[in-house]
Amino acid sequence: MSLHLVVALLMLLAAAMHAGWNLFVKGNGDRLSAITAVMSGGAVLSALALPFVDPPARASWIFILLSILVHLGYYAGLLGAYRHGDLSHAYPIARGSAPLLVAIVAAPLAGEWLSPLQCVGVALISLGIVSLAFEHGWPKGDHGRSVLYALATAVFIMGYSVIDGMGVRRSGNALGYIAWLFALEAIPLLLITLAIRRHAFFRHIGAHWKTAGAGALLSCGAYGLAIWGMSIGTLAGIVGLRETSVLFGAAFGAMFLGERFGWKRAAAAVAVVVGNLVLQFG
């Protein structure tokens, strides 16, 4: 089996895992506590691995710190999108827009220029995102706020994807970079949650520790695989393939949360996935 195929299959696994932990967060009434519990669980798991991996090179630490800051914005955007919109609507916009933004930014920063066929993929992604955003006409009310938060989330996804893609390539040790990033990135989020919702957070841990633990495993696995993929593949290609998670997210919202998933959302999600695959293999 070729390395390219192995990477592609692992990114599909990462996509399903990412949609899975987002399902846990969206389906919980206290989403701030839920996402903090998932990320904190991932930090504990990663901290346990630190003695067994070599630390990343000094040149990569600035990227770890920048990624931690950008992830805070990502969490805020994600919570806002889920507060105002469905998982099957907000998730495809947020995740599907990210490869488009990564492709644009990776060209000048990482020297990864798009081929004509990849430009077709970008056009398909854009068409799918626009279809979702204008599903009910001009976005307004909760629908409009959900779209805005989802697009803001996509910007942060683009930010940490490019940062971590460049950081892991300077680390000399992908596992060390992943472990230290995961062990540290939950600390600011945890401190914020304890400052404003301490009692609710501990109640959530007591009632949902099994779900939080499962979410932590899925979260670590999903982004850990993505960072490893970016250490050997192109940023836009890896992010694009990983964001096939929009299909999983849309399906999970319909199956487990009872969200409406008509043909328009289905067609838009398919356009995003096909565009991302063209972006990957073009």
Side-chain angles (χ1 to χ4, degrees), residues 47-138:
L48 293 175
L50 292 180
F52 305 100
V53 297
D54 293 329
R58 183 179 300 177
S60 67
W61 277 97
I62 184 62
F63 293 92
I64 290 176
L65 296 176
L66 288 173
S67 180
I68 291 171
L69 292 176
V70 174
H71 268 88
L72 280 178
Y74 163 69
Y75 299 139
L78 193 66
L79 291 173
Y82 289 164
R83 183 167 63 250
H84 297 289
D86 292 341
L87 177 69
S88 58
H89 176 256
Y91 188 88
I93 292 177
R95 304 306 309 189
S97 301
L100 173 63
L101 298 175
V102 170
I104 293 171
V105 173
L109 290 183
E112 297 176 0
W113 299 94
L114 299 183
S115 69
L117 185 56
Q118 286 178 308
C119 291
V120 174
V122 167
L124 283 172
I125 296 170
S126 302
L127 178 62
I129 298 304
V130 170
S131 298
L132 284 168
F134 292 89
E135 180 184 23
H136 302 299
W138 185 261

Side-chain angles (χ1 to χ4, degrees), residues 33-245:
S33 294
I35 198 169
T36 303
V38 167
M39 296 302 121
S40 299
V44 172
L45 293 174
S46 300
L48 293 175
L50 292 180
F52 305 100
V53 297
D54 293 329
R58 183 179 300 177
S60 67
W61 277 97
I62 184 62
F63 293 92
I64 290 176
L65 296 176
L66 288 173
S67 180
I68 291 171
L69 292 176
V70 174
H71 268 88
L72 280 178
Y74 163 69
Y75 299 139
L78 193 66
L79 291 173
Y82 289 164
R83 183 167 63 250
H84 297 289
D86 292 341
L87 177 69
S88 58
H89 176 256
Y91 188 88
I93 292 177
R95 304 306 309 189
S97 301
L100 173 63
L101 298 175
V102 170
I104 293 171
V105 173
L109 290 183
E112 297 176 0
W113 299 94
L114 299 183
S115 69
L117 185 56
Q118 286 178 308
C119 291
V120 174
V122 167
L124 283 172
I125 296 170
S126 302
L127 178 62
I129 298 304
V130 170
S131 298
L132 284 168
F134 292 89
E135 180 184 23
H136 302 299
W138 185 261
K140 56 185 178 181
D142 275 345
H143 179 72
R145 283 185 284 272
S146 175
V147 170
L148 289 176
Y149 273 113
L151 290 175
T153 303
V155 173
F156 289 114
I157 294 170
M158 176 272 293
Y160 71 63
S161 296
V162 173
I163 288 169
D164 288 329
M166 297 176 69
V168 74
R169 294 175 183 181
R170 290 164 171 77
S171 68
N173 181 2
L175 289 178
Y177 185 94
I178 293 167
W180 276 100
L181 173 64
F182 288 1
L184 296 174
E185 73 163 315
I187 294 176
L189 178 64
L190 178 61
L191 293 176
I192 292 171
T193 302
L194 291 177
I196 62 178
R197 296 185 61 86
R198 180 173 65 256
H199 298 300
F201 175 69
F202 287 122
R203 285 197 302 271
H204 177 88
I205 292 292
H208 302 285
W209 64 270
K210 291 182 180 179
T211 302
L217 288 171
L218 292 175
S219 175
C220 286
Y223 198 46
L225 286 172
I227 295 177
W228 171 79
M230 289 187 290
S231 71
I232 59 176
T234 63
L235 301 185
I238 293 299
V239 174
L241 188 57
R242 181 178 177 242
E243 303 313 355
T244 53
S245 61

